[in-house]
Amino acid sequence: MDELMELLQELDPEVDFENEEALIDDRILDSLTILALIADIEETFDVTVPAVEIVPANFNSAKAMYAMIERLQEEG
Amino acid sequence: MIFKYNSYFDTMYLAIFLPVAIVVYACLPRKNARRVWLLFTSLFFFWCDGKGLLVYILLSTLFMHHGGLWLGRLHDRLSAALKDTPKEEKKALKETYKKKQRWVLAFFIALELGMLVVLKYSGFFVNNLNALMGLFSENTRLLVPHFLLPMGISFYTMQAMSYLFDVYHKKIEPDTNIGRLLLYMSFFPNVMEGPICRWSETAESLWNAERVSYQNLTLGLQRVLWGCIKKIVIADRLNPFVKNVFGGYDKAVDFELVHFDFNAFPGWVIALAAVAFTLQLYAEFSGAMDMALGVGQIFGVKTPENFQRPFFSLSISEFWKRWHISLGAWFRDYVFYPVSMSGPVKKLTGKARKKLGNRFGPLVGGSVALFAVWIFNGLWHGAGWSYIFFGMYHFVLILLGNIADVLMQRFSEKTGFKRDILPVRIFRICRTAVLVVIGELFFRAPTLTQGFAMFGRIFTAFAAKTEEIRWGVDRKDLAVLLFTVGVLFIVSLLQEKGRDVRTRIAGKPVVVRYLFWYAAILFVVIFGAYGAGYIPVDPMYAEF
């Protein structure tokens, strides 16, 4: 989780990623930032994020993102 | 023909079809009967528009039904086979099935898309092919096909494709019940102008066929009335002026006020007409959505919102997240992310980020995906170069907007310039609106060449012989328009500030509420633009 928080802070230091629960719904993260974030996630956590996983439910909060990463790691 | 509707605002629809549909539905005691009734009214609505054209939506539904079941069977077989397969062979097995599923998906998408492409675009392609061949030989000409377009084909085809994609990705389970699929495809309030629904959001509430509740009925009717105000008072009243300057759509050549010669107008009138058209398009399309969502609510159906006060957007990119939301979301989920997540584009993004950094890097890969989105978006609106230009115009604006955004952020960080203060926000809102209006001018112009000529005149033709202009709008029209647009603006502003105007009105004492509704109904009846001199505007998005 710490690694993910680091990635997120680097991407946009002004956002409170710890508490924000509607990163997509409130348009805090736009689609291009998501692309950069996914590239980071794939590199850091050694997973492949398929396009079908890019839904608000998986990216609205740091927690949701981490849950998705763990799931993708398990699925291998 | 028993009924013929040009739009959801036709008297035939509002006074006969809709009340009968609602009253009979409300009287039916059994859920199954209500479902059958909804299906029957939807198919009847379709049949009234084009009789035999009904076959296309039936075929489309049949394809999605079969495609979904086939994909589902492959998912099941894979799951069963994986249980008895040693770990080291699982990957290969998954790949084999993935390949099969891709072929099945491609086959059914080709069938769905094929119908749309042949019916909607073959004329455009053959015309362009003929023009190209004409460069080499004067005698070679292919016959240009002309097909009648079934109502709502651009909308329901998108719904069918999203269903197939979602089944393929295991986001939803395929449905064995073709009746449920047919209702999802043909639900009459949505079929003409959308919104483009998703199976996971809408299908269940549709099939639930809830009883009509007092709250849903009143809130739904309230929204229908609001839609009528936007469409009949604003959009229709602007129609003569817009048609005088832009000329009619091809379909409306019988409209007597059409004298298409924009050269007769000074530049500022053309600019004013572009603003009027943008306002008209918004009033017509969002009014039709109020009608669709309001009627949906009466039947207890959850339909996605298609507008979120787009003219408060700070950028073009934001505008497209608030205008025709269901179309933008479709392209985002089924074009933008799949293209940007595809192998080659991902590699490109990776390389670009190393060279250009986190801010500009993703723009390179993202722009490839954005280009695909906007080519399709332009073409979705119609088979013509104006629409392709319209798509490319917004593609370039969004790209430039993203670059400018990064630069402005850096500028703000260095200088302490605040972008969030009210005057700057108002400037950004106005700038976005001007850019949108320019785009709509090209969108509405009969051809791309004429669009450029009209745009040019705005800056070159200053001679104003206003006494010769046939405005099509008199002082009374103007007063009604200004008042109604003012009300629309205030309501939008309140909603933008998070006030729930609808529930607040519904919560007032009964006398106040009824007085309010009678006043609103009278307002539409008295100030609605109909009768001699007015031709109601065609449902603009039903053309696409």
Side-chain angles (χ1 to χ4, degrees):
Chain A
M1 189 71 183
D2 291 342
E3 275 176 308
L4 177 64
M5 289 311 284
E6 245 173 70
L7 291 183
L8 290 168
Q9 291 302 338
E10 208 174 297
L11 216 55
D12 195 337
E14 287 175 21
V15 181
D16 175 15
F17 285 104
E18 291 213 8
N19 299 312
E20 194 54 66
E21 299 263 314
L23 291 166
I24 306 295
D25 294 341
D26 289 351
R27 303 196 195 99
I28 297 167
L29 294 184
D30 63 14
S31 39
L32 289 173
T33 319
I34 294 277
L35 292 189
L37 175 62
I38 289 173
D40 280 338
I41 289 177
E42 292 192 340
E43 213 176 282
T44 315
F45 297 96
D46 193 27
V47 289
T48 307
V49 182
V52 65
E53 294 285 349
I54 313 174
V55 288
N58 283 343
F59 285 87
N60 259 334
S61 67
K63 254 186 223 161
M65 289 179 216
Y66 197 67
M68 176 193 72
I69 293 167
E70 283 189 319
R71 185 164 45 79
L72 288 172
Q73 280 175 329
E74 267 173 39
E75 284 170 11
Chain B
M1 190 73 65
I2 310 171
F3 288 116
K4 177 78 186 161
Y5 324 103
N6 287 319
S7 79
Y8 289 123
F9 300 91
D10 262 22
T11 320
M12 203 64 115
Y13 177 80
L14 278 175
I16 302 172
F17 182 89
L18 191 57
V20 171
I22 295 171
V23 170
V24 174
Y25 179 91
C27 293
L28 292 170
R30 294 172 70 97
K31 198 181 268 274
N32 266 340
R34 290 197 294 271
R35 284 172 185 157
V36 172
W37 174 246
L38 270 190
L39 202 51
F40 169 76
T41 45
S42 297
L43 294 180
F44 178 73
F45 186 80
F46 230 90
W47 182 79
C48 286
D49 183 69
K51 284 187 177 173
L53 297 180
L54 183 66
V55 75
Y56 290 115
I57 197 168
L58 294 177
L59 271 177
S60 222
T61 312
L62 196 69
F63 293 151
M64 81 190 256
H65 179 250
H66 275 52
L69 289 182
W70 198 342
L71 287 167
R73 262 202 303 276
L74 286 171
H75 282 312
D76 293 343
R77 271 189 216 154
L78 172 63
S79 306
L82 279 174
K83 281 180 193 160
D84 309 321
T85 309
K87 205 177 177 185
E88 58 277 10
E89 290 170 27
K90 279 185 177 172
K91 204 173 176 187
L93 189 69
K94 277 185 190 170
E95 274 307 310
T96 315
Y97 270 89
K98 195 93 198 155
K99 223 179 245 176
K100 278 185 196 170
Q101 283 169 336
R102 264 190 212 141
W103 275 109
V104 173
L105 178 71
F107 175 69
F108 283 99
I109 291 290
L111 286 178
E112 296 286 357
L113 205 55
M115 274 197 284
L116 177 68
V117 169
V118 169
L119 294 176
K120 189 169 167 181
Y121 301 98
S122 50
F124 173 68
F125 288 130
V126 172
N127 264 326
N128 279 290
L129 204 62
N130 277 342
L132 198 67
M133 288 195 302
L135 296 176
F136 305 104
S137 147
E138 282 187 10
N139 299 323
T140 326
R141 286 282 182 277
L142 295 172
L143 197 66
V144 182
H146 289 287
F147 293 106
L148 283 174
L149 266 189
M151 179 204 284
I153 186 170
S154 305
F155 293 93
Y156 71 67
T157 304
M158 306 290 267
Q159 295 199 165
M161 288 199 290
S162 73
Y163 172 85
L164 288 168
F165 282 128
D166 287 356
V167 172
Y168 169 80
H169 287 302
K170 287 171 90 174
K171 278 186 178 175
I172 54 171
E173 288 289 320
D175 201 321
T176 48
N177 184 344
I178 199 164
R180 196 152 36 202
L181 291 168
L182 190 55
L183 186 56
Y184 160 74
M185 290 284 274
S186 65
F187 183 49
F188 74 87
N190 300 348
V191 81
M192 208 186 263
E193 289 189 87
I196 300 162
C197 300
R198 300 285 176 90
W199 178 261
S200 52
E201 289 170 345
T202 312
E204 201 186 327
S205 65
L206 251 173
W207 199 244
N208 260 346
E210 275 178 28
R211 279 177 181 282
V212 177
S213 72
Y214 176 76
Q215 196 194 16
N216 276 345
L217 180 71
T218 48
L219 280 175
L221 286 177
Q222 183 201 75
R223 193 147 186 194
V224 166
L225 189 58
W226 181 231
C228 287
I229 292 177
K230 282 183 185 170
K231 161 70 167 63
I232 302 172
V233 183
I234 301 178
D236 286 351
R237 203 166 277 274
L238 281 167
N239 210 24
F241 173 57
V242 173
K243 282 200 170 184
N244 274 351
V245 181
F246 279 98
Y249 281 115
D250 288 345
K251 265 186 167 181
V253 282
D254 56 341
F255 185 44
E256 58 171 331
L257 284 171
V258 173
H259 292 289
F260 180 59
D261 181 17
F262 58 83
N263 284 317
F265 299 105
W268 66 271
V269 176
I270 292 175
L272 194 64
V275 173
F277 170 66
T278 308
L279 186 60
Q280 184 191 35
L281 185 65
Y282 175 60
E284 196 284 327
F285 192 19
S286 73
M289 288 306 103
D290 287 324
M291 175 65 86
L293 271 74
V295 175
Q297 184 163 16
I298 295 172
F299 293 114
V301 179
K302 283 180 198 141
T303 329
E305 288 289 344
N306 224 9
F307 285 92
Q308 205 186 20
R309 303 168 296 285
F311 290 101
F312 286 97
S313 305
L314 297 171
S315 65
I316 290 290
S317 169
E318 189 186 339
F319 178 85
W320 282 102
K321 286 173 190 139
R322 303 170 71 152
W323 171 285
H324 205 175
I325 299 169
S326 62
L327 181 71
W330 199 101
F331 282 122
R332 181 197 63 211
D333 292 346
Y334 302 110
V335 178
F336 181 82
Y337 283 128
V339 171
S340 47
M341 289 288 109
S342 63
V345 180
K346 238 179 183 177
K347 264 187 202 160
L348 186 69
T349 309
K351 276 185 192 166
R353 282 185 74 206
K354 277 179 193 145
K355 287 199 173 166
L356 301 169
N358 255 345
R359 298 272 173 96
F360 285 117
L363 267 178
V364 179
S367 59
V368 176
L370 264 184
F371 179 77
V373 164
W374 285 101
I375 274 281
F376 287 130
N377 190 308
L379 276 173
W380 181 88
H381 282 92
W385 289 106
S386 311
Y387 297 118
I388 295 174
F389 176 81
F390 174 79
M392 288 301 97
Y393 172 78
H394 283 282
F395 164 66
V396 171
L397 285 183
I398 290 175
L399 214 55
L400 291 177
N402 276 308
I403 295 170
D405 200 45
V406 178
L407 296 177
M408 276 308 290
Q409 263 179 23
R410 287 186 184 165
F411 177 74
S412 299
E413 282 160 18
K414 278 187 185 161
T415 58
F417 173 75
K418 285 184 181 157
R419 298 171 77 199
D420 270 352
I421 53 172
L422 191 65
V424 180
R425 287 176 73 89
I426 292 176
F427 167 76
R428 294 171 73 189
I429 287 171
C430 294
R431 178 204 55 192
T432 306
V434 169
L435 292 173
V436 168
V437 168
I438 294 172
E440 296 303 346
L441 185 149
F442 285 98
F443 187 81
R444 177 63 171 84
T447 64
L448 186 56
T449 325
Q450 282 163 328
F452 275 111
M454 291 178 84
F455 185 62
R457 267 190 85 77
I458 295 180
F459 304 100
T460 52
F462 300 110
K465 286 183 189 168
T466 43
E467 66 276 8
E468 286 173 20
I469 295 173
R470 297 179 71 165
W471 290 99
V473 176
D474 60 21
R475 282 185 179 194
K476 195 190 103 194
D477 288 315
L478 198 61
V480 173
L481 271 171
L482 287 176
F483 175 77
T484 321
V485 172
V487 173
L488 175 61
F489 175 72
I490 292 167
V491 171
S492 305
L493 196 65
L494 287 172
Q495 288 174 331
E496 193 64 13
K497 291 191 171 212
R499 308 249 177 97
D500 189 350
V501 182
R502 296 178 70 199
T503 326
R504 279 175 85 126
I505 296 172
K508 297 270 181 229
V510 68
V511 180
V512 179
R513 219 161 57 217
Y514 273 84
L515 273 177
F516 187 84
W517 293 128
Y518 281 129
I521 292 168
L522 277 177
F523 184 76
V524 177
V525 173
I526 296 171
F527 295 113
Y530 44 80
Y534 295 105
I535 302 276
V537 56
D538 293 326
M540 294 166 172
Y541 268 71
E543 305 273 319
F544 303 140

